[in-house]
Amino acid sequence: MAAAALIGLAFALSAQDTYKARLTALPATAKTLPDLAGIGSATATLSGTKLTVNGTFEGLKTNATMVEVRDGGMAGVRGPAVGTLMITKAMKGTITGSVNLNSTQVEHLKKGGLYIQIYTEKPTDGTLWGWLIH
């Protein structure tokens, strides 16, 4: 019985896909460029359709206010929000949380089309961005 449980656990762990993102300052417009600073990183694990994200960030000029997983369909393309994660509301901190994806979003993730976007007090249209890469 214990051997069967270990085999099941090994299969469940092997069924998970892991992704990484490097979060960097990316201006949405030339006007926001002077307010941008900071770096971060995140890892994400896909288990079935549940994407679990953990990460860190630092060096922001103003406090983080929100973080989203977004779907651009392919790498480098902006898109709509898939879900919101938890973030430390400071200039340095952590990102944690999970979002449930539909089958199209899972397909886009596997092609590098999902990204993480951190919003700050200024600029308000997104400060750090990073595409999830397998």
Side-chain angles (χ1 to χ4, degrees):
M1 184 112 142
L6 287 175
I7 291 170
L9 177 61
F11 178 77
L13 292 175
S14 68
Q16 295 180 345
D17 288 328
T18 302
Y19 299 82
K20 293 183 180 185
R22 187 182 72 149
L23 306 172
T24 58
L26 185 65
T29 66
K31 182 181 177 184
T32 63
L33 187 60
D35 296 318
L36 297 177
I39 58 170
S41 63
T43 58
T45 303
L46 181 66
S47 181
T49 60
K50 183 178 181 179
L51 185 68
T52 301
V53 180
N54 291 290
T56 60
F57 64 92
E58 63 184 332
L60 299 176
K61 288 187 175 183
T62 61
N63 290 334
T65 58
M66 181 175 66
V67 61
E68 293 176 327
V69 175
R70 299 181 71 88
D71 183 358
M74 63 179 75
V77 176
R78 296 168 131 191
V82 171
T84 302
L85 305 170
M86 302 288 290
I87 191 165
T88 307
K89 295 190 178 185
M91 291 183 274
K92 174 183 180 179
T94 60
I95 302 164
T96 59
S98 299
V99 295
N100 290 311
L101 306 177
N102 64 36
S103 59
T104 301
Q105 293 162 344
V106 169
E107 182 180 318
H108 291 171
L109 171 65
K110 291 181 179 185
K111 294 179 181 178
L114 265 60
Y115 62 99
I116 297 168
Q117 184 171 347
I118 294 177
Y119 296 85
T120 57
E121 293 169 347
K122 184 177 179 185
T124 58
D125 56 356
T127 300
L128 298 183
W129 308 49
W131 273 262
L132 292 163
I133 306 299
H134 196 12

